[in-house]
Amino acid sequence: VERALDAAGDAPLLVTGAGPAFSAGLDLDALRAADGAEVERLLTTMERVVRKLFLHPAPTAAKVQGHAGAG
């Protein structure tokens, strides 16, 4: 996701999901098994990607199909 966002440059974005859901959410079992360093990496990555989406210089739209769960 982040690489695609970086590759978009100043072009408009259309964000879509894959499969029957826009976002199935976080894998809570994997998150529960993660150590502190893994959780920190996940949160750092999520924050960085959300910041890039927020600051993207062109129009951004989401095509939401199906459910959009947490995360």
Side-chain angles (χ1 to χ4, degrees), residues 2 5 11 19 23 34 45 55:
E2 188 172 9
L5 181 56
S23 171
T45 300
L55 296 174

Side-chain angles (χ1 to χ4, degrees), residues 2-61:
E2 188 172 9
R3 280 182 258 146
L5 181 56
D6 291 339
D10 292 343
L13 293 175
L14 177 60
V15 180
T16 63
F22 178 74
S23 171
L26 294 171
D27 182 341
L28 297 179
D29 290 331
L31 187 59
R32 188 176 6 261
D35 64 18
E38 289 174 294
V39 172
E40 186 173 341
R41 278 192 301 277
L42 171 66
L43 294 175
T44 299
T45 300
M46 287 176 64
E47 180 181 1
R48 187 176 58 245
V49 171
V50 168
R51 180 177 284 120
K52 286 181 179 186
L53 280 169
F54 181 77
L55 296 174
H56 188 70
T60 303

Side-chain angles (χ1 to χ4, degrees), residues 58-71:
T60 303
K63 179 182 174 190
V64 180
Q65 74 280 6
H67 296 284

